[in-house]
Amino acid sequence: MGLDTIPIRSEVMSPPFEQQGIVALLQEISQLLRQLALSDENGVIDLRRSPLSPAQREALLTLLGQGEVSAELTVMGRSRVEETALAGVWWVTHYNEEGVVVAELLEIAPIPQILLSVEDELGESQDRLQQMIDGIINGGSVK
Amino acid sequence: MSASLKRGLQAFDEVIDASVASFFSSCVHCGLCADACLFYTETGDPRYTPIYKLKPLQRYWNQHYTLGGKIASYLGLTTAVDDAELAEWQELIYNSCTLCGRCSMVCPVGNDLTAMIRKIREGMAAAGYAPEDLIAAAGRAVKIGSPMGVRLPALKAQAAHVEKDSGLEIPFDREGAEYMLLLSSMEIMNYPEYLEAVARIMKQAGKSWTLSSEAFEATNTGIQIGVSDIARTLVKRVVDAAEKLRVKTVISPECGHAYTAIRWDGPNLIGRPYPFEVLHILEVLEQFRLQGVLQLEGSESQRLTFHDPCQLVRRGGVIDPPRNLLRMVADNFVEMGDHGKMNWCCGAGGGVGANESAAELKMQAFQRKKRQISELGVDAVVTACANCRIQLEEGLEENEMDLPVLGLTELLAEHLPQREKGERG
Amino acid sequence: MKSDREKESGAIVSQREETVLQRLRRQGISRRGFLKFCTATASMMALPPTMAPAIAAALGSATRPSVIWLSFQECTGCTESLTRSHLPTVESLIFDAISLDYHHTLQAASGEAAERAREEAMARYAGEYLLLVDGSIPYGDEGIYSTIAGVSNLEMLRQGVEGAAAVIAIGTCSSFGGLPMASPNPTGAMSVNDLMQRGAIQRRPLINIPGCPPIPAVITGVIAHYLTFGTIPQLDALHRPLSFYGDTIHDRCYRRTYYDQGKFADTFDDEGARLGWCLYKLGCRGPTTYNSCATLKWNGGTSFPIQSGHGCIGCSEPGFWDAGSFYEALSMPTAAATTATRAGVGVGVAAGALSAWQNLHQRNGARTGHQEVKLDDLERG
């Protein structure tokens, strides 16, 4: 006898097949947003590890929409950071120097990690500014 | 065929579904489930191999639902499941299984053996082969509202004591409260400190909560004995009360199977989703911790370990919260071997603790936990299930180990800032 | 001449003691660049993306380990796979983080100088170096079928394994025997693991990275893991890293939903094939093959065989090549069914269908005929 001959009662409402992956991802985003609100802990979803077909990926992009902020970084190749229509949900794509995607993430955070300036760098900036000021005072010209 | 046997076999027909068929078809007879079961490891008796406990259901399925089995029965090559067989299996199905779920974790073909034990109990109970003590407990649960026969006045009396000791109000039937608290009879009778602990924590957190005078009992004997009709009646009481009081969240107490019953089985039993959320008390406390409304002071210097209740970790996935909470107050917390989702059962869950005919066997099964605890050299054991707690206390006493067993919620409440305790309403 | 070489080897040593972070900084890579590198590494190693800071911390202090790469009965496809990854990439950065002291195809030195480099590295970093092996090892007739500089592959592997901290078998040949081991296996080819089990070489921690060839990111991912954590990653029973070989191609395949719906391509040019339905019936080995092709993909993340319309051939599984035709569906009988067995199958199917109908009837009967089990029913009689 085949298993298909035994009637199966579905006890939960489930979305159509093609959309199940997307719904799971949206649930995960929602969970991470809740975590961010509760504990200030940033969340990251690795999109390359989620088996999305190109069509599903497009559908997800459309669903999440376009927010107000976008940023482009030039660091070992290009990186793009785009806010989605959902505040706190960022679509981050890292390319290598040849333009091939090396990482694609959804970051759930007030602002994505890669955009932040860190303390060490602030100190370095101060040192360099001081050098500029000294240079102007001593040499008298701005270069 | 007796009427009761007929009822039992009809129940077998009802529980045999796609998952049962695929589980039985895919079993490769590897025997790995034996070593996952503490009734086998502690006795060495091969009859306690989990898949063997399912033999009557497996034979019934084979004879009635597979072509080969049908031909074999037609030719008289196999015998039908009868009263004698079910009588023989009563001990295997009820006394030597705590529904702890460990065997389901190790099955290499992914068979949920625990769910099948739960199903075979449907047939056993309908055929009249449930243990007497469980039948009596089920009777009290349906008629009185508590398997231990605790009535509302008894709870009210305990609540009055707590109000007097703590100066806090224990609210009943407060409509629109955020949380509705459930209790297990064991907590009402043996560990009333739990109620006080929750009252004080709620007070500090500034949350509104209530008990229901119509449904305060969380345990569900229907799940343990394996009668869905009874389980449904008991779940329905809680759902009705929660809907009437319009609460947002129902809190399952420190009791393993109560959590499984109301959190996971409940919506399937009543055939619809709940309009409220169900959380275990530890999940609620973890939320309070994250929200910063659970503020504790001081810490325990004694060496503590945590016994994971099976239903919490394996069925519910509540693994990190108790650890996060414990670390707030314990400087010297050590993990037990196989902790978390592969923990070993205390030996008394799934109705075994309430079943007098299993008394000797459950102490034999406890040997595993005893070894685990003694090799740690701890000063106390913390857990979050009243049933585990009783078994641990009895087991440690019988093995002459002088070790206190603490409930996690109460332990946390002891570390609330003192001024709160002194407050009088 | 001699002093030049000494200077050179001195320079190699001091470069090796530089940490990975220092080296990247020297190449003008900023903090953001390093963070991006670690994020891409975490993604490639299938670690949770939140691990990126931990990787950054570990790589910041890791020094470059010595790596010796031995090639035996192989086709150089594994090396090609690695070097044809789109440079410069994260993979190439990882290669900056190791010191590749010996590799037939890639090293500039040749002849006796090359062999001396291998011996020197083995002596200087005894107990510390990583040994990478591609190709199977001929074991028949005392290993005479393949020699390098007069030394048999078996002997060279034996010497190499002795001082190795760990061995990484790259490709199906060194992991499971591969093509050289295919029947009738004239050279008595064996995998590294076979030889360890047999006691012909010493046992060392072994990681198999099968595939014909393996995905370049998997090779570098495993090395990155070793660099980051100083340990070998979690392995399955066949010594494969779980992060890359934990799921089947089928479980991660974007066509999986069609399988679940029962939509299959029956030939390579039918409507189903055009619509991109599941290739199971055309012999796809996805359900029994553990690898990351469906998620990491090939050629810089462009595609993988199923995406281009051909089933998986299971090149990374043991027994690849002797496991029957690539174009027969997995559960179909391998020999042609005779008329008699076909008739038998026909009767069986009919009887099965009848039996199934009865089952349905019996079960539905039970469900609709359900009588509530009440307390009194719990007694016998």
Side-chain angles (χ1 to χ4, degrees):
Chain A
M1 127 185 153
L3 294 180
D4 53 344
T5 56
I6 299 176
I8 298 170
R9 226 164 16 120
S10 175
E11 285 166 338
V12 287
M13 299 283 286
S14 49
F17 258 125
E18 291 76 10
Q19 310 239 328
Q20 280 180 4
I22 293 181
V23 171
L25 254 176
L26 295 178
Q27 301 265 31
E28 193 178 353
I29 297 173
S30 151
Q31 155 73 21
L32 289 174
L33 273 172
R34 195 160 20 163
Q35 172 190 311
L36 179 63
L38 275 175
S39 64
D40 286 338
E41 207 177 309
N42 293 356
V44 195
I45 297 172
D46 187 343
L47 283 172
R48 289 209 306 174
R49 284 280 152 191
S50 315
L52 293 179
S53 68
Q56 283 178 324
R57 192 181 160 284
E58 285 306 308
L60 184 65
L61 260 174
T62 317
L63 271 173
L64 293 179
Q66 181 85 43
E68 294 161 335
V69 185
S70 73
E72 178 122 0
L73 291 86
T74 313
V75 48
M76 278 173 43
R78 224 158 48 83
S79 290
R80 264 201 83 71
V81 177
E82 289 192 69
E83 191 191 34
T84 67
L86 306 165
V89 181
W90 303 80
W91 189 293
V92 181
T93 317
H94 295 303
Y95 302 86
N96 67 11
E97 275 136 351
E98 296 216 319
V100 176
V101 175
V102 292
E104 194 167 31
L105 315 164
L106 277 177
E107 210 166 321
I108 290 79
I111 191 157
Q113 200 77 41
I114 196 140
L115 290 182
L116 290 172
S117 299
V118 296
E119 247 168 76
D120 301 9
E121 292 178 330
L122 301 185
E124 275 179 37
S125 302
Q126 256 182 337
D127 292 348
R128 284 178 53 195
L129 270 173
Q130 194 56 52
Q131 278 175 11
M132 282 185 221
I133 294 167
D134 292 350
I136 296 168
I137 292 170
N138 298 334
S141 74
V142 184
K143 279 192 179 173
Chain B
M1 193 190 291
S2 66
S4 54
L5 180 62
K6 208 168 161 189
R7 266 203 309 274
L9 297 182
Q10 156 132 356
F12 278 179
D13 280 327
E14 286 180 50
V15 297
I16 288 174
D17 57 6
S19 58
V20 168
S22 60
F23 290 165
F24 283 141
S25 324
S26 60
C27 173
V28 292
H29 309 281
C30 68
L32 276 177
C33 50
D35 282 317
C37 176
L38 85 169
F39 289 92
Y40 170 73
T41 63
E42 300 314 299
T43 61
D45 184 344
R47 292 190 328 132
Y48 294 143
T49 302
I51 190 76
Y52 186 74
K53 298 172 190 171
L54 292 161
K55 260 284 159 339
L57 184 63
Q58 187 176 19
R59 282 187 48 233
Y60 186 82
W61 164 77
N62 186 48
Q63 289 167 1
H64 294 263
Y65 291 91
T66 67
L67 186 59
K70 282 181 190 175
I71 294 170
S73 337
Y74 178 74
L75 297 175
L77 299 175
T78 64
T79 53
V81 175
D82 58 14
D83 275 298
E85 183 173 354
L86 296 186
E88 193 189 335
W89 251 263
Q90 182 188 48
E91 189 229 347
L92 298 183
I93 292 170
Y94 285 102
N95 296 15
S96 76
C97 176
T98 60
L99 301 177
C100 85
R102 210 166 181 275
C103 49
S104 299
M105 301 293 286
V106 303
C107 178
V109 294
N111 289 349
D112 189 352
L113 291 139
T114 318
M116 287 199 282
I117 299 265
R118 166 73 182 76
K119 280 171 184 266
I120 196 174
R121 284 187 180 180
E122 293 275 341
M124 292 292 283
Y129 289 98
E132 267 174 44
D133 295 328
L134 288 187
I135 296 177
R140 287 189 295 269
V142 171
K143 289 177 195 149
I144 299 174
S146 144
M148 287 166 72
V150 178
R151 290 172 201 271
L152 182 62
L155 171 62
K156 286 248 161 123
Q158 288 286 24
H161 275 301
V162 172
E163 286 186 332
K164 196 160 156 253
D165 287 351
S166 66
L168 293 171
E169 189 202 347
I170 303 295
F172 275 87
D173 302 320
R174 179 166 299 166
E175 256 186 69
E178 188 170 357
Y179 297 97
M180 179 172 117
L181 185 73
L182 297 176
L183 297 165
S184 67
S185 294
M186 254 182 237
E187 278 159 340
I188 302 170
M189 301 316 293
N190 300 6
Y191 308 116
E193 311 83 35
Y194 172 78
L195 185 57
E196 182 178 343
V198 174
R200 292 180 54 216
I201 290 170
M202 287 289 183
K203 165 85 179 165
Q204 190 205 45
K207 307 280 183 184
S208 63
W209 67 288
T210 185
L211 287 163
S212 163
S213 56
E214 282 160 22
F216 52 84
E217 178 64 51
T219 62
N220 192 318
T221 321
I223 295 285
Q224 295 177 324
I225 199 170
V227 179
S228 287
D229 290 325
I230 293 178
R232 184 179 306 112
T233 307
L234 300 178
V235 164
K236 195 82 184 28
R237 274 182 199 161
V238 174
V239 174
D240 287 346
E243 285 177 346
K244 190 169 154 196
L245 297 176
R246 294 179 290 108
V247 296
K248 283 204 193 88
T249 305
V250 168
I251 305 179
S252 176
E254 291 196 354
C255 172
H257 87 271
Y259 175 65
T260 296
I262 191 76
R263 175 74 177 86
W264 307 115
D265 288 6
N268 287 329
L269 287 168
I270 65 170
R272 65 178 169 88
Y274 298 151
F276 50 84
E277 197 177 16
V278 176
L279 293 175
H280 190 269
I281 180 71
L282 295 191
E283 294 177 290
V284 174
L285 295 176
E286 174 74 351
Q287 284 187 350
F288 287 3
R289 184 183 74 84
L290 288 169
Q291 290 165 5
V293 295
L294 179 64
Q295 297 291 337
L296 305 176
E297 61 178 26
S299 59
E300 302 282 330
S301 55
Q302 52 178 342
R303 196 170 157 86
L304 296 176
T305 190
F306 184 71
H307 163 73
D308 285 295
C310 307
Q311 301 298 325
L312 229 55
V313 287
R314 273 194 284 276
R315 294 279 154 181
V318 184
I319 297 174
D320 292 335
R323 289 166 174 79
N324 296 341
L325 292 164
L326 250 179
R327 290 209 174 91
M328 290 177 83
V329 297
D331 290 339
N332 205 348
F333 164 62
V334 286
E335 288 282 16
M336 214 179 274
D338 292 330
H339 59 86
K341 71 178 179 203
M342 286 308 288
N343 89 306
W344 289 93
C345 176
C346 65
V352 172
N355 174 0
E356 202 46 43
S357 66
E360 200 180 317
L361 188 58
K362 84 175 179 194
M363 276 303 140
Q364 231 176 321
F366 181 74
Q367 292 307 310
R368 165 72 63 171
K369 197 50 56 182
K370 180 200 145 191
R371 282 199 303 281
Q372 282 194 299
I373 293 174
S374 44
E375 72 195 17
L376 287 176
V378 288
D379 303 315
V381 182
V382 184
T383 190
C385 168
N387 193 58
C388 295
R389 197 166 159 187
I390 293 224
Q391 164 82 344
L392 288 167
E393 281 175 356
E394 279 180 19
L396 291 171
E397 194 185 323
E398 185 156 323
N399 289 286
E400 288 167 7
M401 289 165 73
D402 188 17
L403 220 56
V405 182
L406 314 168
L408 180 51
T409 309
E410 293 148 49
L411 178 67
L412 295 176
E414 276 172 27
H415 288 273
L416 288 169
Q418 280 306 310
R419 56 192 154 78
E420 307 251 351
K421 194 172 183 175
E423 266 178 25
R424 299 253 154 198
Chain C
M1 191 64 209
K2 193 179 173 189
S3 63
D4 270 1
R5 193 192 289 154
E6 274 172 358
K7 255 190 243 160
E8 217 179 284
S9 73
I12 288 171
V13 171
S14 73
Q15 271 188 20
R16 194 194 309 284
E17 278 156 8
E18 189 176 48
T19 68
V20 177
L21 178 59
Q22 282 164 345
R23 190 175 164 82
L24 294 176
R25 271 275 160 93
R26 204 161 48 75
Q27 292 175 345
I29 289 165
S30 68
R31 182 196 61 84
R32 284 203 181 94
F34 190 55
L35 182 61
K36 176 167 164 176
F37 165 72
C38 294
T39 305
T41 307
S43 171
M44 189 176 71
M45 288 157 70
L47 292 170
T50 44
M51 283 290 285
I55 295 174
L59 280 185
S61 55
T63 52
R64 306 163 69 215
S66 168
V67 171
I68 297 174
W69 182 313
L70 301 178
S71 301
F72 301 132
Q73 292 192 123
E74 47 90 31
C75 65
T76 317
C78 296
T79 300
E80 289 285 337
S81 167
L82 189 59
T83 54
R84 292 301 155 105
S85 56
H86 290 233
L87 295 173
T89 58
V90 176
E91 288 93 317
S92 74
L93 282 175
I94 286 187
F95 262 66
D96 277 340
I98 63 170
S99 164
L100 189 56
D101 289 334
Y102 178 84
H103 187 301
H104 287 178
T105 318
L106 301 180
Q107 71 197 142
S110 63
E112 286 175 10
E115 295 310 306
R116 205 164 46 239
R118 174 175 61 85
E119 282 156 17
E120 276 174 14
M122 275 168 52
R124 189 184 295 152
Y125 303 107
E128 294 169 12
Y129 61 85
L130 271 180
L131 187 72
L132 273 53
V133 181
D134 66 332
S136 63
I137 302 93
Y139 190 71
D141 303 317
E142 292 162 17
I144 59 165
Y145 296 105
S146 176
T147 61
I148 297 161
V151 180
S152 75
N153 290 171
L154 183 60
E155 177 57 20
M156 191 177 282
L157 178 64
R158 200 190 53 72
Q159 292 171 5
V161 164
E162 230 167 55
V167 182
I168 305 181
I170 292 180
T172 302
C173 296
S174 55
S175 298
F176 303 132
L179 179 62
M181 202 178 82
S183 178
N185 190 5
T187 66
M190 285 196 182
S191 67
V192 175
N193 191 37
D194 286 342
L195 292 169
M196 283 190 186
Q197 296 301 326
R198 183 174 276 262
I201 57 175
Q202 281 187 312
R203 286 185 191 221
R204 289 286 177 271
L206 172 69
I207 307 169
N208 282 334
I209 306 182
C212 192
I215 304 172
V218 175
I219 306 175
T220 47
V222 170
I223 297 172
H225 188 285
Y226 185 80
L227 276 174
T228 310
F229 302 105
T231 56
I232 59 175
Q234 217 187 343
L235 305 177
D236 69 4
L238 295 175
H239 297 274
R240 300 177 295 196
L242 277 171
S243 53
F244 298 107
Y245 297 91
D247 297 316
T248 61
I249 302 284
H250 187 60
D251 284 339
R252 290 291 185 153
C253 182
Y254 75 102
R255 297 193 188 199
R256 174 61 191 259
T257 48
Y258 294 115
Y259 174 87
D260 293 335
Q261 288 171 288
K263 291 179 176 169
F264 298 102
D266 288 311
T267 65
F268 281 107
D269 57 357
D270 69 358
E271 191 59 20
R274 267 189 290 279
L275 289 170
W277 288 356
C278 177
L279 300 168
Y280 179 84
K281 288 189 174 173
L282 291 170
C284 181
R285 293 283 186 274
T288 55
T289 304
Y290 290 83
N291 209 333
S292 302
C293 304
T295 45
L296 290 179
K297 301 194 179 173
W298 285 84
N299 297 322
T302 307
S303 180
F304 73 114
I306 294 169
Q307 194 172 338
S308 59
H310 193 287
C312 166
I313 60 173
C315 73
S316 59
E317 285 296 309
F320 165 60
W321 216 258
D322 284 338
S325 165
F326 295 148
Y327 300 102
E328 261 165 36
L330 276 172
S331 59
M332 290 191 177
T334 44
T338 63
T339 319
T341 58
R342 275 193 194 140
V345 168
V347 171
V349 167
L354 184 67
S355 159
W357 180 81
Q358 275 184 342
N359 290 345
L360 202 60
H361 187 68
Q362 179 167 359
R363 243 185 65 78
N364 285 347
R367 279 254 163 107
T368 48
H370 175 78
Q371 296 201 335
E372 193 182 336
V373 178
K374 298 202 183 68
L375 282 174
D376 297 339
D377 295 332
L378 300 182
E379 304 293 342
R380 273 190 292 284

